[in-house]
Amino acid sequence: SSSSSSSSSPPPATAAPPAESAPCRDADHGVQSSPPPPPATRAAQVAARASDLLRRVFTGDRATEVLGQGWCQVDGFLGRDRALELHAAALGLARAASDMFSPHKFRFAGKIFGKPNIYEIDLHDASKRERVPALQHIFHVLGPAVVQAAHAALPSLDLDPTAPSAIKLQLNAGGSFPCHYDNPGPPNKRRLTCLVYLNPQWQVGDGGEMELMPFLENQVNIPPLLDRLVVFRSDLVLHAVAPWRGPASKPPRLCFTVWIDGKTQGESK
């Protein structure tokens, strides 16, 4: 688990995105401003999206995988066009708005440390997400829909259906994560991690794979391919992220993560 804090240090310059994914910009920040949708509209959008996710993503077979082996993988989660739009928006932010991404911070032994070459946007920060329509959509519609769909598909996990406990957009320009649990124990309530990759140019050798280590099972290495969703138990699945080694000519590794809490602390049934 981790926390983010603001910093004046921007992420490093990144390669330009493909021509078809150039972001829209305003004069001040290089990003758009976007008011949130009205509550009634938002609720209808969330309900419709949650129903779609239950039908396509959180199926019976995948729920069985999460409950049995602790994780599942789903390709084509958003649709390629939508995933490319989010990829373009994230790269546009990295280039044009140096105050949006903050260095990743983590706590160990009561102290806060910075992780080199890892930057993120906490979408609970309204001053940042309201400047970008793509972030608004993730926070107000997609994230809550993932929570509702997971809650319906995995009742034995006793997930909190009200809202994600955290949503972050992450940029990896050369960092890695050692082995850890997203829920290291009380008072943390995280129970499910849902991670979506946004890397259309990823190739073998670029690194950045998710390394899952389910208890008493073989390690699973998952490439961070565009529009791939990985769901795993925050409290039970040890995992790491391999170092990002993509060349400077490529965009950095990008993903966004939705964390879902349990209603109570401790292991679910």
Side-chain angles (χ1 to χ4, degrees):
S1 57
S2 63
S3 60
S4 297
S5 60
S6 297
S7 170
S8 59
S9 301
T14 61
E20 74 270 16
S21 58
C24 298
R25 303 179 178 179
D26 65 29
D28 294 327
H29 304 110
V31 295
Q32 298 173 331
S33 60
S34 173
T41 300
R42 196 160 64 224
Q45 291 174 339
V46 170
R49 193 60 188 268
S51 177
D52 172 67
L53 293 177
L54 268 173
R55 178 179 57 83
R56 294 189 307 107
V57 177
F58 289 96
T59 62
D61 288 346
R62 286 170 179 147
T64 298
E65 290 176 351
V66 172
L67 296 175
Q69 65 187 15
W71 66 278
C72 75
Q73 171 187 312
V74 182
D75 289 330
F77 173 64
L78 297 168
R80 181 175 175 80
D81 290 345
R82 183 60 177 157
L84 284 172
E85 289 175 5
L86 293 179
H87 172 261
L91 283 185
L93 291 174
R95 291 199 311 268
S98 62
D99 62 325
M100 291 287 283
F101 282 92
S102 300
H104 175 86
K105 303 288 185 181
F106 67 98
R107 183 183 298 274
F108 181 77
K111 298 180 180 179
I112 299 294
F113 299 88
K115 185 171 289 295
N117 300 315
I118 306 286
Y119 306 88
E120 57 193 15
I121 300 174
D122 185 341
L123 270 63
H124 280 79
D125 185 341
S127 68
K128 292 185 176 182
R129 73 166 188 270
E130 289 178 0
R131 291 160 55 182
V132 188
L135 301 187
Q136 287 279 68
H137 178 77
I138 292 172
F139 184 82
H140 288 295
V141 177
L142 185 57
V146 168
V147 171
Q148 290 188 14
H151 175 261
L154 301 162
S156 66
L157 295 189
D158 198 25
L159 301 174
D160 182 348
T162 55
S165 59
I167 308 179
K168 294 183 180 181
L169 175 68
Q170 187 180 91
L171 181 155
N172 183 335
S176 64
F177 287 82
C179 296
H180 67 285
Y181 293 96
D182 278 0
N183 180 344
N188 196 306
K189 294 182 180 181
R190 283 182 182 172
R191 193 152 291 163
L192 206 64
T193 300
C194 306
L195 190 150
V196 181
Y197 291 112
L198 304 171
N199 303 297
Q201 299 180 37
W202 187 89
Q203 293 177 311
V204 174
D206 288 344
E209 294 92 347
M210 171 64 72
E211 301 173 339
L212 300 179
M213 305 163 206
F215 185 64
L216 298 180
E217 300 289 343
N218 293 328
Q219 178 172 311
V220 180
N221 297 329
I222 303 178
L225 298 178
L226 179 75
D227 203 18
R228 170 169 286 174
L229 168 72
V230 178
V231 178
F232 60 90
R233 292 287 303 272
S234 310
D235 50 348
L236 296 181
V237 177
L238 187 69
H239 60 284
V241 176
W244 176 253
R245 300 188 180 91
S249 59
K250 281 189 176 181
R253 176 186 182 273
L254 293 164
C255 65
F256 70 87
T257 306
V258 176
W259 284 277
I260 307 175
D261 277 5
K263 292 178 182 177
T264 59
Q265 296 175 9
E267 187 176 337
S268 62
K269 300 182 229 178

